[in-house]
Amino acid sequence: MNIHELTFLQEKIQELKDTGVYRKLPILEGPNEAEITLNGKKVINLSSNNYLGFASHPKLKDAATRAIEKYGVGAGAVRTIVGNMDLHEEMEKVLAQFKREEAVMVFQSGFNCNAGTIQAIVEKGDLIISDELNHASIIDGCRLSKADKTVYKHADMESLESVLKEKRDQYRNVLIITDGVFSMDGDIAPLPEIVALAEKYNALTYVDDAHGSGVLGENGRGTVDHFGLHGRVDFTIGTLSKAIGVIGGYVAGSHTMKEWLSHRGRPLLFSTSLPPAAVAPIIEAVNLLMSTREYTDRLWDNARYFKQELGKLGFDLGKSETPITPVIIGNEGKTMDFSRKLLENGVFVSGIVFPTVPKGTGRVRCMVTAAHTKEQLDQAVKVFKQVGQEMEII
Ligand code: PMP
């Protein structure tokens, strides 16, 4: 039998090319740091989620090497069979301490943590109310659940309350889901108001803090800590792939949450657990974060400086309150052109367009990290100015 030509996919790919949003995967030669070698060229990297520079931190690399020597390279099974090492237990203990919660359950990624957790906690007869700008992994997690779903307008408390008022009594459990920090705009969810509404209407709360952990709160404890809401959010998600610099995702909350997920969290039951070389540096990273504010302070100093300089030039930086710095361009093709020209001039910032963000709100998204030097940030600002003027963006 001949292999199919997949012409129906080729047509869709042509559409991407026609609208200027087709792209090849960039190839990184070497570690993901503030300066990288990309497709053979040295460039300043403003696209990484490696907020604290931990992805190639010497202490984390040492921890990984030692773990390989002692435990080997793979966990060998799912956690519920024989893939749960003492290292995994220690990682969850340290993370629970960091998040100031009773317990933490770790998954293999932030994505499958959302996919596995949401479907395990709400079912038919329940309702999910989700912010319209929540991350794709939340959307997929909701799709996998048999609960009814509805969205509220982004960060709009009137919209959330009107759904609660109308629908609360028709369901057994109601779960309100929000990102802590919104990954495309860098704004922070109005968590105190969300928690107050959840308490008023007896709803559960679920906060995906992938971009708040390691960034906001005391020593990077996250958005819940930033607002002083410990004990009032039922499920807090974090990722171990961004500020922590490795790979993995977790949910922090109660002992009951953990007990239930260890029986019904499908990625835990059906997918092999994290390898030792990931787990050991995660433990090292969390202990490091708890011991010093050096990294989070540097992250915020860099972010404030970079935003201030781009703002002075007249770029539209949206409504970011965090180190995520979107530079809004609007038109999809122009956004991708801007990103390409920045790269030609030695600065890598990925263009983000529909369907990741709404149509007409294309942006390049700058991720400032603790690892950037002032010279690198100044050079990036200079290139933004030059290309921005050439393209009449500023
Ligand atoms: N949630 C949010 C809000 C995210 O931004 C991301 C990463 N893009 C994830 C979850 C998924 O995390 P991971 O990369 O660890 O799978």
Side-chain angles (χ1 to χ4, degrees):
M1 198 180 83
N2 278 343
I3 193 162
H4 291 107
E5 280 189 31
L6 305 179
T7 42
F8 62 105
L9 293 182
Q10 285 170 9
E11 281 161 17
K12 286 177 200 258
I13 291 167
Q14 190 55 47
E15 253 176 57
L16 298 180
K17 289 181 177 166
D18 292 345
T19 49
V21 296
Y22 180 84
R23 46 128 188 79
K24 292 212 161 76
L25 296 181
I27 299 173
L28 191 60
E29 295 144 37
N32 190 329
E33 294 177 333
E35 192 174 84
I36 51 175
T37 305
L38 195 72
N39 301 330
K41 183 177 165 187
K42 257 202 175 143
V43 293
I44 296 169
N45 178 14
L46 279 174
S47 283
S48 166
N49 294 318
N50 180 20
Y51 283 112
L52 303 174
F54 281 3
S56 54
H57 193 293
K59 281 192 174 168
L60 273 68
K61 291 203 291 190
D62 277 355
T65 309
R66 277 184 272 120
I68 288 174
E69 286 304 324
K70 181 167 175 196
Y71 293 89
V73 293
V78 302
R79 288 187 73 184
T80 48
I81 298 186
V82 70
N84 186 42
M85 295 161 165
D86 50 4
L87 268 184
H88 294 88
E89 295 286 319
E90 187 187 343
M91 164 175 65
E92 288 177 337
K93 233 183 243 162
V94 170
L95 278 166
Q97 193 191 343
F98 176 58
K99 297 300 284 186
R100 299 199 166 116
E101 296 285 352
E102 276 180 20
V104 158
M105 183 60 108
V106 169
F107 289 73
Q108 302 89 339
S109 77
F111 196 105
N112 83 10
C113 180
N114 277 326
T117 302
I118 297 169
Q119 63 166 317
I121 55 181
V122 277
E123 58 189 5
K124 201 169 167 29
D126 297 332
L127 174 69
I128 297 169
I129 315 179
S130 182
D131 186 293
E132 66 180 341
L133 294 190
N134 278 343
H135 189 256
S137 56
I138 293 178
I139 297 170
D140 287 7
C142 293
R143 285 182 181 145
L144 287 170
S145 163
K146 294 198 172 66
D148 284 349
K149 300 115 197 170
T150 184
V151 294
Y152 62 97
K153 284 194 200 137
H154 175 53
D156 182 332
M157 294 301 97
E158 275 178 29
S159 170
L160 174 59
E161 181 156 24
S162 78
V163 177
L164 285 164
K165 216 180 251 170
E166 187 195 330
K167 299 193 184 265
R168 175 64 191 97
D169 292 342
Q170 302 164 31
Y171 292 93
R172 191 186 55 153
N173 286 318
V174 170
L175 181 67
I176 303 171
I177 306 186
T178 181
D179 279 359
V181 171
F182 287 85
S183 57
M184 295 302 141
D185 290 289
D187 54 327
I188 305 174
L191 263 198
E193 290 84 355
I194 292 173
V195 166
L197 283 175
E199 287 169 353
K200 181 172 167 191
Y201 289 91
N202 186 27
L204 299 163
T205 42
Y206 184 109
V207 176
D208 179 346
D209 211 21
H211 288 276
S213 293
V215 175
L216 289 169
E218 189 190 349
N219 293 54
R221 281 182 163 81
T223 308
V224 171
D225 187 83
H226 169 75
F227 285 119
L229 293 171
H230 289 292
R232 294 174 67 194
V233 172
D234 298 285
F235 307 93
T236 304
I237 306 307
T239 170
L240 301 163
S241 64
K242 302 187 192 299
I244 300 299
V246 192
I247 186 83
Y250 60 90
V251 49
S254 65
H255 291 305
T256 307
M257 167 281 292
K258 181 164 178 162
E259 232 179 327
W260 178 242
L261 288 180
S262 72
H263 291 85
R264 287 292 181 276
R266 290 172 68 82
L268 291 176
L269 306 182
F270 299 111
S271 183
T272 299
S273 55
L274 288 177
V279 180
I282 288 167
I283 296 169
E284 191 72 32
V286 178
N287 281 327
L288 192 58
L289 257 183
M290 287 194 286
S291 73
T292 174
R293 293 187 185 184
E294 181 192 334
Y295 299 94
T296 44
D297 282 353
R298 215 180 311 139
L299 168 66
W300 279 95
D301 285 349
N302 280 350
R304 285 193 191 102
Y305 177 71
F306 187 69
K307 282 182 172 182
Q308 172 197 302
E309 296 304 304
L310 283 190
K312 274 196 229 160
L313 291 174
F315 283 105
D316 175 1
L317 304 182
K319 52 192 173 178
S320 169
E321 303 165 83
T322 62
I324 296 171
T325 308
V327 177
I328 315 284
I329 308 298
N331 175 276
E332 280 71 26
K334 191 168 183 181
T335 302
M336 299 314 285
D337 265 356
F338 187 47
S339 166
R340 267 190 287 273
K341 288 197 173 122
L342 291 170
L343 182 58
E344 280 164 22
N345 286 280
V347 180
F348 180 56
V349 197
S350 56
I352 299 191
V353 295
F354 180 80
T356 309
V357 293
K359 274 205 169 115
T361 71
R363 77 246 358 232
V364 296
R365 186 184 59 155
C366 308
M367 306 294 284
V368 183
T369 75
H372 286 100
T373 62
K374 176 144 183 309
E375 291 68 32
Q376 288 165 336
L377 295 178
D378 283 339
Q379 175 60 21
V381 169
K382 200 172 124 196
V383 171
F384 263 83
K385 181 177 177 190
Q386 179 205 319
V387 178
Q389 285 173 343
E390 268 168 35
M391 290 185 64
E392 297 180 353
I393 291 165
I394 49 170

